[in-house]
Amino acid sequence: MRILNIIQCTNLGGMEHASLRLMKGLQQLGHGCRVLSLNPIGEMRSLLAEADIPAEGMVYSGIGGWQSYKMLSHKLAGIRIDGLLMTGHNLMAIAALRNIANGHRLLAMHYHHMGVKPDWQWRLIYEAARRKFNIITFPSDFVRNEAIKICPAIVKMSYTVRNPLPIPEAITHEQRQQARTALGIPANVKVVGNAGWLIERKRFDIFLRVAKEIIIAERDVFFAIAGDGVERKPLEQLADDLGISQHILWLGWQKDLSSFYKSIDVLLFNSDWDAFPTTPQEAMSWGVPVVASNLHGGLDEVISSSKYGFLFKNHDIKGLADAVKFLIQSEDTELGLNSRALIQEMCDATTISKQVESFLLGDR
């Protein structure tokens, strides 16, 4: 099949990486993929080129992109494809679909609903989507159930399809030291890390407050943050106010997070809202133990027991700190091995790519 992936943007977020991995999986099944970004091509340009995935960007203007409607309609009229994959919701783009790939359309949702838009707006999006798409997928039961509650009419076309994740080779001591050297991380210390957008709902302030609790008891622990965003300066100020700046490593955006995951001993993840957060799952795929707090989201579908990690339903600073301290003091590797095996089973790229392939072919 010739598959077009319409996506809001091509930055380096979890949604974009998940979409790239899916397209690679579809390519391995013999399909051709191309990307049409509703915004100019972003930082993922080189990764798309490396994967031999043609990508074209647009100028996105007007409220909700409506001033770009004619441009998108014109572009779609000139594209010949067999299947359509739309990554993320966009009402303007949904409206612009006409006779392109009829019967072979999939909308892949990646975002939570509550607290983002009022229900009536989501209902409008899903009512439009159910008339234009054959299938709507969600990365977690949590976010799928949110959507069905808002728009019950989509229940028969809605499926939970996990984001594909590769399973890297087990990390050797030598690889860990090399990765730390590359990132400027001290060699013989314990390192707790987190990665992602530095935005309010990702709660890196909780990460820093937990770090403060741990440093009181464990002076030889460093905390690495891979990412950037609007909260960077306030977070740096908070680290200063907490007196822990010398223990915080601001790594900035990493095009490839492999060295980051090789470098850390524990992942500490905190979030108010997340449909199905990628960072903890990526850490688990590397065999890195995870301690997390997620107020609203589907993370409990993967960290379902202490066999796979420590998950808190609230931002319990002391509880999170105690869990991290337990892990950095322990030599037990069983939790990392368990979580790695779970991700291998749950997020197998070939299985997920074949599932999406069957949807696009019209075989439910």
Side-chain angles (χ1 to χ4, degrees), residues 195-210:
W197 292 101
L198 304 188
I199 56 178
E200 188 174 351
R201 71 178 174 86
K202 291 294 187 178
R203 300 308 303 267
F204 278 86
D205 60 316
I206 299 296
F207 180 89
L208 294 176
R209 295 185 189 281
V210 174

Side-chain angles (χ1 to χ4, degrees), residues 82-282:
D82 307 301
L84 175 70
L85 173 66
M86 184 178 289
T87 302
H89 60 278
N90 186 282
L91 191 57
M92 179 275 291
I94 293 172
L97 301 179
R98 294 184 180 176
N99 296 319
I100 183 171
N102 281 329
H104 305 280
R105 299 175 179 176
L106 185 152
L107 172 61
M109 297 294 291
H110 285 262
Y111 216 67
H112 60 273
H113 302 82
M114 193 178 299
V116 179
K117 300 176 186 291
D119 282 0
W120 70 265
Q121 289 186 11
W122 284 118
R123 193 172 297 111
L124 180 63
I125 290 168
Y126 283 117
E127 285 292 348
R130 76 185 186 90
R131 290 169 170 79
K132 294 293 185 81
F133 290 90
N134 311 100
I135 298 290
I136 304 176
T137 65
F138 303 88
S140 67
D141 293 336
F142 168 82
V143 73
R144 179 170 58 87
N145 289 336
E146 270 193 331
I148 292 171
K149 184 176 180 180
I150 292 168
C151 184
I154 66 170
V155 64
K156 291 185 178 180
M157 60 188 298
S158 301
Y159 296 84
T160 298
V161 176
R162 307 298 186 185
N163 294 328
L165 277 177
I167 304 298
E169 296 291 331
I171 305 168
T172 66
H173 177 74
E174 182 179 4
Q175 288 173 335
R176 172 158 292 174
Q177 298 310 315
Q178 290 174 347
R180 289 189 175 188
T181 299
L183 293 175
I185 297 175
N188 298 313
V189 298
K190 294 293 185 180
V191 180
V192 179
N194 193 12
W197 292 101
L198 304 188
I199 56 178
E200 188 174 351
R201 71 178 174 86
K202 291 294 187 178
R203 300 308 303 267
F204 278 86
D205 60 316
I206 299 296
F207 180 89
L208 294 176
R209 295 185 189 281
V210 174
K212 171 70 172 181
E213 287 292 313
I214 294 169
I215 290 167
I216 292 171
E218 303 281 345
R219 298 296 300 176
D220 292 330
V221 181
F222 282 74
F223 295 81
I225 297 175
D228 212 337
V230 295
E231 291 293 306
R232 172 73 177 262
K233 288 186 178 179
L235 289 168
E236 289 178 336
Q237 183 61 55
L238 177 59
D240 282 341
D241 294 343
L242 294 171
I244 61 172
S245 292
Q246 292 183 340
H247 290 261
I248 308 300
L249 304 169
W250 303 92
L251 303 180
W253 277 116
Q254 301 292 311
K255 178 181 173 183
D256 183 347
L257 283 168
S258 298
S259 292
F260 168 76
Y261 289 119
K262 290 176 183 177
S263 297
I264 64 176
D265 297 286
V266 177
L267 183 93
L268 171 61
F269 177 86
N270 313 103
S271 173
D272 285 344
W273 298 90
D274 261 300
F276 200 48
T278 299
T279 300
Q281 296 175 75
E282 287 183 335

Side-chain angles (χ1 to χ4, degrees), residues 60 170 271 348:
Y60 192 73
S271 173
D348 178 69

Side-chain angles (χ1 to χ4, degrees), residues 46-63:
S46 61
L47 295 178
L48 290 164
E50 289 170 13
D52 196 25
I53 299 174
E56 179 183 4
M58 291 176 42
V59 176
Y60 192 73
S61 60
I63 297 174

Side-chain angles (χ1 to χ4, degrees), residues 305-320:
S305 76
S306 58
K307 180 180 178 181
Y308 304 114
F310 294 90
L311 178 61
F312 294 76
K313 280 296 186 181
N314 53 66
H315 299 310
D316 178 353
I317 304 297
K318 185 178 184 305
L320 289 161

